[in-house]
């Protein structure tokens, strides 16, 4: 199946997944519509699996939720669309889902992501250690936006390193987290702009 035949909404979801690595079925249907998700799955470009998800890194119980990811065929289709796909390993699944939600909350199109080569270049220009770079950079309406998502695992040292680097490579820095408590902690570390995100896990029927 040619990627053009799946429709614009499904193609949009394809690009979203290529950039974000993964999202929940709830995010996919809210952002692009149930038909887009159905078309992407039916075409063999994406799959939905029930996978363990923790609301925060400190949650004791994991729930199994439908997670959408590209297949190998989907990766090839994304490359044909001019987007280099990222792969979210299971250990980073919650982070990928959170990053997807933060990107959408900020109104940033997936195609506006700064690519890996440019990210490496920013790392070199800033003359800093790689772990201090933002989770992602996007070209927004008013310049480059640095996007960070803390699922509850970042240490104070990691946050400090990221806060030091972000102004060197971006015009705006926005953090996301699933917890108000964690948001308060981030503000104590010096984060100026943080959003508490509630991620839709299942589709609304």
């Amino acid at each position: 199946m040619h990627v053009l035949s799946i429709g614009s909404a499904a193609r949009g979801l394809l690009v979203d997944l290529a950039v974000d690595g993964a999202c929940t079925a709830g995010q996919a249907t809210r952002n692009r519509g149930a038909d887009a998700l159905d078309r992407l799955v039916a075409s063999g470009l994406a799959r939905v699996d029930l996978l363990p998800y923790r609301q925060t890194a400190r949650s004791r119980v994991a729930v199994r939720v439908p997670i959408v990811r590209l297949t190998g065929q989907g990766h090839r289709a994304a490359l044909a669309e001019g987007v280099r796909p990222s792969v979210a390993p299971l250990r980073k699944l919650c982070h990928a889902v959170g990053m997807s939600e933060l990107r959408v909350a900020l109104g940033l199109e997936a195609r506006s992501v700064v690519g890996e080569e440019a990210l490496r270049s920013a790392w070199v220009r800033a003359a800093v250690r790689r772990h201090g770079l933002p989770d992602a950079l996007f070209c927004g309406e008013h310049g480059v936006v640095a996007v960070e998502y803390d699922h509850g695992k970042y240490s104070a040292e990691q946050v400090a390193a990221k806060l030091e680097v972000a102004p060197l490579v971006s015009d705006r820095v926005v953090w996301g987290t699933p917890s108000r408590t964690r948001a308060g902690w981030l503000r104590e570390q010096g984060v100026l702009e943080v959003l508490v995100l509630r991620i839709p896990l299942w589709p609304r029927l």
Side-chain angles (χ1 to χ4, degrees):
M1 176 183 290
H2 195 282
V3 69
L4 290 177
S5 67
I6 63 176
S8 60
R11 287 175 65 201
L13 181 56
L14 173 78
V15 173
D16 291 347
L17 289 168
V19 170
D20 299 335
C23 71
T24 67
Q27 289 172 307
T29 56
R30 179 202 61 194
N31 298 342
R32 300 293 182 176
D35 183 62
L37 178 57
D38 290 344
R39 283 172 178 257
L40 214 58
V41 171
S43 66
L45 300 176
R47 58 182 293 170
V48 181
D49 298 298
L50 282 175
L51 297 173
Y53 175 85
R54 295 182 186 275
Q55 196 68 37
T56 73
R58 301 179 186 276
S59 299
R60 294 182 179 180
V61 179
V63 294
R64 298 184 74 83
V65 303
I67 298 292
V68 188
R69 294 178 294 175
L70 294 181
T71 61
Q73 185 180 345
H75 286 181
R76 291 188 290 274
L79 286 170
E81 286 284 298
V83 181
R84 184 173 181 177
S86 71
V87 178
L90 287 179
R91 64 185 177 84
K92 291 191 174 181
L93 190 64
C94 296
H95 186 270
V97 167
M99 283 288 289
S100 178
E101 188 67 13
L102 181 55
R103 178 184 61 76
V104 171
L106 293 173
L108 299 169
E109 286 295 330
R111 284 189 182 274
S112 71
V113 69
V114 174
E116 188 174 333
E117 289 185 9
L119 197 59
R120 280 200 299 265
S121 177
W123 168 35
V124 172
R125 286 198 311 273
V128 293
R129 290 173 294 180
R130 187 183 180 102
H131 72 258
L133 276 179
D135 290 334
L137 295 172
F138 291 88
C139 295
E141 185 179 349
H142 302 292
V144 178
V145 182
V147 178
E148 301 276 8
Y149 183 74
D150 180 15
H151 191 238
K153 289 186 176 181
Y154 281 145
S155 66
E157 292 76 15
Q158 287 174 305
V159 174
K162 285 177 172 286
L163 288 177
E164 180 181 359
V165 173
L168 303 176
V169 296
S170 65
D171 303 297
R172 179 187 178 194
V173 186
V174 185
W175 288 65
T177 184
S179 160
R180 291 187 182 278
T181 300
R182 193 66 177 179
W185 180 82
L186 286 170
R187 292 187 182 100
E188 290 173 0
Q189 307 312 307
V191 175
L192 299 179
E193 191 172 358
V194 56
L195 301 178
V196 178
L197 304 171
R198 184 172 183 177
I199 298 170
L201 302 179
W202 294 273
R204 294 179 179 178
L205 302 178

